[in-house]
């Protein structure tokens, strides 16, 4: 009997031991789980905090950037600069963001400045912008990926300017002459290359001079150069200044060559400089590209929308002659790159879309 009691006692103690061990194991597992959950929560909290800090920093940087907008234009004697000044005032009033129009070396340099984050807005030729996005010509191997379009503005006429008594009456007559073609890589330079190419010529066939518009017309007036390629809206201030001192001639481009040029480079269009401009006695047939306004992709959608709306709805208040060309009807002509979301929103509201 006593032996049975001892056996029962031993069995009871064994059961209690197992129960205590199990409870201890469950407690340990629960502690481990609680520690893991605590660590996970702390990690998530830290990540969330870091994310919030990063978002706050980005928002602060964005707000700082938008205290001012820099608009790159062109030389002071061209069309970009005076027209850009008017636009900058309108944008400032519409957005509340101080916008300054700055003189520059125009198209190619403007795109590089946008690419490098040195400005937010810029005047650019549509052909140069196309080359930049494709990474060709002066952008060979360095395609631009952070620039979008606001819209087209007006035709930029390729004007081959010379004196009336220079003896230069055709593009072929430029051979062997001192001819200003703008800065290497500039829109004017590329236009000169492509027009010479259509005539079976190259820069090697002329004595190329890399001058800006003011230097070009000054050089023609002084007799230091014979002619100049000037790509700008007409009338161009520098050429008007030249016409006030000497009789000016504009070298025409043959109709057949215009067709060849447009077939090879579709961003060109036939254009005419009308009689009376610069004192010309007859219309002169030539070609044009389009001026456009480009913007960096870090400009917020709402600001891009207000910029676009301000320009196209206030063009009628601008004093510059070229403002009459700034309409929603032609705003997307020649635009081969992506529109800024704000610009797209505005044009969608107007029922205008890219072809």
């Amino acid at each position: 009997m006593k032996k049975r009691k001892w056996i029962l006692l031993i069995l009871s103690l064994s059961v209690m031991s197992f129960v205590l061990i199990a409870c201890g194991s469950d407690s340990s597992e629960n502690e481990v789980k609680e520690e893991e959950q605590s660590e996970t929560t702390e990690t998530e909290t830290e990540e969330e905090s870091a994310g919030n800090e990063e978002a706050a920093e980005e928002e602060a940087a964005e707000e700082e950037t938008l205290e001012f907008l820099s608009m790159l234009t062109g030389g002071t004697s061209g069309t970009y600069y005076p027209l850009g000044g008017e636009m900058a005032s309108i944008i400032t009033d519409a957005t509340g963001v101080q916008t300054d129009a700055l003189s520059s070396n125009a198209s190619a340099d403007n795109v590089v400045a946008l690419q490098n984050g040195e400005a937010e807005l810029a005047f650019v030729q549509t052909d140069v912008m196309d080359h930049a996005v494709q990474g060709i010509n002066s952008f060979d191997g360095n395609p631009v990926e952070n620039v979008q379009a606001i819209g087209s503005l007006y035709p930029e006429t390729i004007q081959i300017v010379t004196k009336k008594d220079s003896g230069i009456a055709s593009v072929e007559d430029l051979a062997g002459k001192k001819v200003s073609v703008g800065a290497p890589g500039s829109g004017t330079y590329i236009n000169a290359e492509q027009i010479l190419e259509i005539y079976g010529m190259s820069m090697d066939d002329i004595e190329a001079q890399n001058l800006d518009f003011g230097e070009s017309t000054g050089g023609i007036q002084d007799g230091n150069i014979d002619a100049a390629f000037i790509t700008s809206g007409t009338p161009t201030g520098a050429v008007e200044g030249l016409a006030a001192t000497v009789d000016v001639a504009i070298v025409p481009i043959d109709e057949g060559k215009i067709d060849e040029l447009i077939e090879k480079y579709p961003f060109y269009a036939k254009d005419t400089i009308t009689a009376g401009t610069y004192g010309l006695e007859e219309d002169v047939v030539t070609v044009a590209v389009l001026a456009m306004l480009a913007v960096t992709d870090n400009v917020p959608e709402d600001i891009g929308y207000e910029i676009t709306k301000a320009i196209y709805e206030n063009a009628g208040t601008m004093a510059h002659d070229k403002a009459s060309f700034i309409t929603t009807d032609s705003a997307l002509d020649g635009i081969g790159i992506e529109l800024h979301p704000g610009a797209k929103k505005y044009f969608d509201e107007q029922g205008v879309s890219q072809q």
Side-chain angles (χ1 to χ4, degrees):
M1 211 46 195
K2 289 182 179 180
K3 185 176 181 181
R4 182 180 296 176
K5 288 180 178 180
W6 279 106
I7 291 171
L8 290 172
L9 181 60
I10 291 169
L11 288 171
S12 298
L13 290 172
S14 298
V15 170
M16 290 177 65
S17 297
F18 281 125
V19 170
L20 290 172
I21 289 170
C23 289
S25 176
D26 288 342
S27 177
S28 297
E29 289 177 3
N30 288 336
E31 289 176 0
V32 170
K33 289 179 179 179
E34 288 175 0
E35 288 177 0
E36 290 177 348
Q37 290 175 350
S38 176
E39 290 175 357
T40 300
T41 302
E42 290 176 1
T43 300
E44 291 175 349
T45 301
E46 290 174 358
E47 291 177 350
E48 183 178 352
S49 176
N52 290 337
E53 289 178 4
E54 184 177 348
E57 289 174 358
E58 290 177 354
E59 184 176 349
E62 184 176 272
E63 290 177 354
E64 181 179 352
T65 300
L66 291 179
E67 290 180 4
F68 299 97
L69 288 171
S70 293
M71 175 190 285
L72 300 177
T73 59
T76 55
S77 56
T79 300
Y80 286 176
Y81 183 73
L83 183 58
E86 291 192 87
M87 284 187 180
S89 295
I90 289 171
I91 292 170
T92 298
D93 292 341
T95 65
V97 179
Q98 178 61 43
T99 305
D100 296 322
L102 307 174
S103 177
S104 72
N105 289 326
S107 290
D109 281 357
N110 287 357
V111 176
V112 172
L114 293 180
Q115 183 182 35
N116 293 337
E118 297 167 4
E120 293 76 36
L121 294 163
F123 280 71
V124 187
Q125 289 177 202
T126 51
D127 54 333
V128 173
M129 194 69 253
D130 182 75
H131 300 158
V133 171
Q134 291 188 59
I136 60 176
N137 290 326
S138 58
F139 299 90
D140 188 22
N142 183 31
V144 175
E145 300 176 347
N146 67 325
V147 178
Q148 298 171 329
I150 291 294
S152 294
L153 302 173
Y154 61 87
E156 287 200 85
T157 307
I158 288 80
Q159 307 166 68
I160 306 175
V161 184
T162 187
K163 288 182 181 179
K164 190 174 181 179
D165 61 1
S166 67
I168 299 172
S170 67
V171 174
E172 292 96 335
D173 291 337
L174 296 174
K177 300 294 195 300
K178 292 181 180 179
V179 183
S180 175
V181 293
S186 69
T188 299
Y189 186 95
I190 293 168
N191 298 149
E193 274 192 318
Q194 291 168 343
I195 289 170
L196 290 173
E197 174 194 352
I198 292 298
Y199 278 87
M201 300 168 65
S202 72
M203 292 293 179
D204 293 335
D205 294 306
I206 63 174
E207 291 187 41
Q209 310 292 309
N210 304 122
L211 308 176
D212 66 24
F213 294 169
E215 292 169 336
S216 295
T217 53
I220 292 172
Q221 180 178 341
D222 297 338
N224 295 324
I225 63 173
D226 301 298
F229 280 82
I230 292 180
T231 301
S232 178
T234 57
T236 304
V239 185
E240 285 186 308
L242 177 64
T245 61
V246 301
D247 290 332
V248 166
I250 304 295
V251 178
I253 299 178
D254 300 326
E255 296 273 1
K257 296 298 184 182
I258 290 175
D259 293 339
E260 289 181 42
L261 186 68
I262 294 173
E263 183 176 357
K264 186 164 187 179
Y265 301 108
F267 41 74
Y268 283 103
K270 181 180 176 180
D271 198 10
T272 301
I273 302 173
T274 57
T277 307
Y278 313 134
L280 298 174
E281 296 176 358
E282 298 178 347
D283 291 351
V284 176
V285 177
T286 182
V287 291
V289 289
L290 287 163
M292 65 174 284
L293 191 64
V295 61
T296 53
D297 60 9
N298 62 351
V299 171
E301 180 176 338
D302 60 334
I303 297 296
Y305 176 88
E306 293 299 333
I307 289 171
T308 311
K309 180 180 174 70
I311 289 171
Y312 288 93
E313 294 189 2
N314 290 281
T317 68
M318 300 180 199
H320 198 285
D321 291 344
K322 288 302 169 188
S324 62
F325 290 91
I326 302 174
T327 69
T328 54
D329 291 339
S330 59
L332 300 183
D333 290 354
I335 300 294
I337 68 168
E338 181 181 1
L339 283 173
H340 185 276
K344 185 177 187 306
K345 178 181 177 182
Y346 175 75
F347 291 126
D348 284 348
E349 291 177 354
Q350 306 306 309
V352 181
S353 60
Q354 284 178 287
Q355 299 300 316

